[in-house]
Every structure is written in structure tokens, then in C-alpha cells.
Amino acid sequence: MFKAILVDKNADVYQASVTELDEAQLPEGDVCVRVAYSTLNYKDGLAISGSSPVVRRFPMVPGIDLAGTVESSNHSAYKPGDRVLLNGWGVGEGHWGGLAQKARLNGDWLIPLPEGLSERQAMAIGTAGYTAMLCLMALERHGLTPERGEVLVTGANGGVGSFAIALLARKGYSVVAATGRLAQAEYLKRLGASTIIDRAELSSPGRALAKERWAAAIDSVGSHTLANVCAGIRADGLVTACGLAQGMDFPATVAPFILRGISLLGINSVTRSYKERVEAWDRLCKGLDLAQLDEITQEVGLSEAILAAHELLDGKVRGRVVVDVNR
């Protein structure tokens, strides 16, 4: 038996609870992992609360991230005792995820836990830090350098935003952080932001083309915010879109694209190739000051994760939430 958060839906009643499950109930997979830590991401909050139809199959164990140790394996790349981690691949949506003490998974979804990184550190980074690194990699593939000018980060107090600021600053970029929690300005500056702006400057309907302000941006918000970000990017600038905290809509015009030649780069963190995942995690290990993880992270036990998920959706959580599934 093992403990897990289980979400279920009977008629119109949606419920999430911590329960005990039998290993025989685990879904199909060729690697069984004893989970040490998981995380709470925005998508996990939606899955636990039922506020958006994230879960595609019931009952479901949420948790799109996990790190732990292989217990048994029929996959050629892994053997018992190997430390592994997972991000994405529909886990926590269509396949039981990481907010449990055990998981059975497709070994192709896993990568080895990088040397020198603990399970807790990996989950402090989680999909949020991994996505931020994918954004940085995409920007640099398209020619961004610190000399090009300031880089805007929206949703700055969130997980992706916090890591984006830290990664950019460590690479020498001048970072502008947009946040709705100006009281957290000192936190953002400690991460490396040089300028703080109120997200209200970007969150309402704006002009099709605004004053040129930033060389590039990492946006995890979507909707009017993303439209205004694009409108304010300098000629030939770059924007990565990786989230939808404000909404899935994109109420923009083609003006920034055809008059300034900007590029909008979509970031899919769910189904990247093995090579890309390993590269991103290798760069995270080298590009982050791991001592900053305690600044970015708070820890809860499995029994506290449901409440924390609701607080995350309510915008009451700064940075990252790591879940110790064994307490």
C-alpha cells in the first residue's frame, strides 16, 4: 500500500483527497519508481481543484513532476537503484502522476537525475525551472545575447518567472520583472531583476503597436499580457510563450510581426526529445545558483498539498512548492 492524492468525479461532484492505494492499482508501465519528491505546478492546481478540465481520466493521481528511485524495471535504460526524474508527458492528466509515494511509468519519459542534484533540488526546479530553461535555450538559438538589451519576464513571482529571472541574470542579461505583487520587489531583485514594473501596465487591452521597450521577453501569462508584450518588443526582437495564467486567448494584431519583424516562439515543455531534456537539465545544474533554491522554494507534505494547490491558484504562493510525498 502507498499514499497518494487521488482526484475523482462522480456525477457533478469533483473531489481530491489523500488516500491509500494498492500497488496493483498502478497503471501500466515498464518502470516502477519510489517517489521521493513531487511539486505543485499551475496545472496541478487546476487538476486538484477541478477548476479546469485538465484531468482526462478518472480516478487520477495528479503531479506532472516527480523524482525518485527505480524499484523495478523492464526498460533497458534503467535498473533498480537508479535515480530518475520526470517532467510532463501527460502524467497527472491521462496517466497517474507524481503526487504519490509510487508511480509506474513509461521509461522513455524518464531521464537520469543529474549528478550532484538531489531529488528535492530537482523538484524545487521542476517543470517551472525546466520550462524557463527551454525558453532561454529558444531565445539563444534565435540569436539573443545580453548586448541586445533588456529582457522582460512576466508572471515574475511565479515558478517559471522566478527561474527565468535567475537564469537570465546569471547569464548577464538585464532583466525587467513584471509582477502584480510589488511588495515582493526585493525578492525579485535578489533573484537578479534590475527593474520591477507593475503587471497592470500589461494586463489590460492595449495598442496594436506600443513604444519599443524590450529586446526579448519570457511570458507565462498569455491573453492581453502577451499581446502587450509583443506590441512593446523592439524590432527583430523575440518572445517566448509558455503559459496561460491570464488566459488562453491572444487578442493581438499582426502589426508587431510585420512592422517590426518580431518572432513569437511557442514553448512545449511536455513532449521534448530525450536529448533536449538532458541538455536542459544539464544547463540548469550549471546555470543556476542552487543556493537560491531555498529562496524560491517552500516545502509541504502530501497531506498539505491540496490546500497549497488552492493557494497557488489564488496567487498566494511565491516561487515553487515542493511536495515531500512521504510525510
Side-chain angles (χ1 to χ4, degrees), residues 150-153 164-165 168-169 173-177 192-196:
E150 292 182 323
V151 180
L152 172 69
V153 175
I165 292 168
L168 287 163
Y173 291 91
S174 179
V175 183
V176 178
S194 55
T195 305
I196 314 295

Side-chain angles (χ1 to χ4, degrees), residues 136-145 148 236 238 263 265:
L136 177 57
M137 288 165 61
L139 292 174
E140 293 187 337
R141 276 199 308 270
H142 285 78
L144 185 67
T145 62
R148 292 274 296 273
D236 299 319
L238 305 162
S263 298
L265 311 173

Side-chain angles (χ1 to χ4, degrees), residues 63-173:
I64 67 173
D65 291 334
L66 64 85
T69 303
V70 173
E71 280 197 334
S72 62
S73 174
N74 291 316
H75 191 283
S76 60
Y78 301 103
K79 63 184 186 302
D82 287 346
R83 298 190 310 151
V84 294
L85 68 85
L86 176 142
N87 310 109
W89 294 99
V91 169
E93 303 171 70
H95 187 100
W96 283 14
L99 287 168
Q101 293 173 321
K102 288 194 177 187
R104 187 180 290 136
L105 306 152
N106 182 338
D108 291 341
W109 300 340
L110 302 170
I111 66 169
L113 189 71
E115 289 293 328
L117 202 64
S118 70
E119 287 91 344
R120 188 186 188 281
Q121 287 173 322
M123 291 297 94
I125 297 168
T127 284
Y130 168 62
T131 301
M133 177 52 78
L134 291 176
C135 288
L136 177 57
M137 288 165 61
L139 292 174
E140 293 187 337
R141 276 199 308 270
H142 285 78
L144 185 67
T145 62
E147 294 72 31
R148 292 274 296 273
E150 292 182 323
V151 180
L152 172 69
V153 175
T154 65
N157 272 294
V160 174
S162 294
F163 280 104
I165 292 168
L167 288 166
L168 287 163
R170 291 265 290 180
K171 289 277 288 184
Y173 291 91

Side-chain angles (χ1 to χ4, degrees), residues 311-322:
E311 292 176 342
L312 176 66
L313 293 185
D314 290 340
K316 298 177 180 178
V317 173
R318 186 186 82 181
R320 299 281 294 140
V321 179
V322 172

Side-chain angles (χ1 to χ4, degrees), residues 128 132 135 139 151-165 168 175-181 188 193 195-203 213-214 216-230 233 238-246:
C135 288
L139 292 174
V151 180
L152 172 69
V153 175
T154 65
N157 272 294
V160 174
S162 294
F163 280 104
I165 292 168
L168 287 163
V175 183
V176 178
T179 180
R181 288 177 272 175
L188 298 174
T195 305
I196 314 295
I197 65 172
D198 194 325
R199 72 178 179 196
E201 294 185 31
L202 302 168
S203 59
R213 300 174 69 179
W214 311 288
I218 294 176
D219 176 68
S220 60
V221 179
S223 192
H224 291 291
T225 297
L226 177 57
N228 287 322
V229 168
C230 290
I233 293 293
L238 305 162
V239 179
T240 58
C242 64
L244 43 73
Q246 188 178 9

